[in-house]
Amino acid sequence: PEHKIFVGGNPLLESIANIDLKNSKDDSFQCNSIENKLILFISEELHSSFPQNSEDYLGYDEYYVINDLIKVMPNDYRLLIKSHPEEKKDKYSKYLSHNIDMAIDWTFEMMIQIPDLIIGMQSMLLLELAMHRNDIICYRPNAKSRFYGEDMNIINSTKKISTLSSYLANKPKIKIDSFKNKFIGSSRNIARFIEKL
């Protein structure tokens, strides 16, 4: 019943929304060439979690997506893969080359400030990054379900490789201020609710 539901917010997203980037600029990362543009790919362990021959299959997995991304990536781009903690360290070793590498030990602030583009599938990290960037891309080819980032209209979403290609050529932007502000005061709201109980 509706009267039993309390919407308090999300303290984690509130803390992310309050990050002050003015004092956290990180210039320590150096690209192989200053002419390279950087794409950060937010990976997830989907291949084994949602097998292709199962009823849980999403219509795509991380390998499908990264292969499509490599197909349309311009020559002046460099791809960095941010793996999920549950993924094996050598998972993408066959992909590594002069313009494809791993984003190892990157902080959240680095992920916000350094890449020219951020592309992912359905990770919560995409929403967290969308607190500070309006150009996050969600690519889920043949997706059988919706991603809540799409429903909240805070992520540039597509299922088509042609649209992904155009996003790489012309960086997309979306308005995010209202999403970021939704979570301000979450901790206070939840604390007050608990005190009343």
Side-chain angles (χ1 to χ4, degrees):
E2 185 177 341
H3 72 277
K4 293 188 176 184
I5 298 174
F6 167 70
V7 180
N10 186 310
L12 172 62
L13 294 181
E14 177 186 26
S15 66
I16 291 172
N18 287 325
I19 289 176
D20 181 11
L21 294 173
K22 293 178 182 176
N23 299 316
S24 62
K25 183 69 177 174
D26 194 319
D27 296 318
S28 61
F29 180 83
Q30 294 295 324
C31 189
N32 282 350
S33 168
I34 59 173
E35 296 177 357
N36 282 125
K37 292 181 180 179
L38 291 177
I39 297 174
L40 181 67
F41 173 64
I42 307 298
S43 182
E44 299 173 72
E45 184 59 53
L46 302 181
H47 183 74
S48 62
S49 300
F50 307 96
Q52 188 168 356
N53 295 324
S54 73
E55 60 182 28
D56 296 325
Y57 181 56
L58 301 172
Y60 64 93
D61 62 25
E62 62 273 32
Y63 296 111
Y64 192 125
V65 169
I66 201 167
N67 284 326
D68 274 2
L69 180 54
I70 291 170
K71 284 179 190 174
V72 298
M73 187 174 73
N75 293 331
D76 61 339
Y77 273 77
R78 185 178 179 204
L79 177 63
L80 295 177
I81 303 168
K82 173 66 176 170
S83 61
H84 189 278
E86 69 180 18
E87 293 180 295
K88 294 180 179 179
K89 291 183 178 180
D90 63 347
K91 176 176 177 176
Y92 291 107
S93 58
K94 69 177 183 178
Y95 289 93
L96 303 184
S97 65
H98 71 283
N99 64 341
I100 302 176
D101 206 348
M102 301 299 297
I104 299 172
D105 298 327
W106 272 41
T107 64
F108 185 76
E109 288 80 5
M110 289 171 71
M111 286 188 274
I112 294 172
Q113 298 176 92
I114 295 174
D116 292 283
L117 281 171
I118 298 174
I119 299 173
M121 296 167 287
Q122 57 180 34
S123 171
M124 180 66 181
L125 181 55
L126 296 177
L127 301 187
E128 295 171 3
L129 292 167
M131 289 279 185
H132 296 278
R133 292 187 61 136
N134 63 355
D135 57 354
I136 307 294
I137 298 169
C138 169
Y139 178 55
R140 302 186 313 125
N142 310 308
K144 296 182 177 181
S145 61
R146 291 188 62 80
F147 172 49
Y148 39 83
E150 296 172 324
D151 296 331
M152 287 188 275
N153 199 34
I154 56 168
I155 289 177
N156 304 279
S157 181
T158 184
K159 296 179 182 179
K160 298 180 179 179
I161 190 171
S162 58
T163 307
L164 175 64
S165 181
S166 67
Y167 280 164
L168 295 184
N170 300 291
K171 188 166 150 177
K173 291 183 180 179
I174 200 165
K175 189 174 181 180
I176 59 170
D177 291 341
S178 59
F179 171 67
K180 184 176 178 179
N181 295 333
K182 283 180 188 292
F183 301 97
I184 304 301
S186 295
S187 300
R188 183 181 66 251
N189 292 341
I190 294 171
R192 285 177 178 172
F193 176 76
I194 293 172
E195 287 171 358
K196 288 180 182 178
L197 293 179

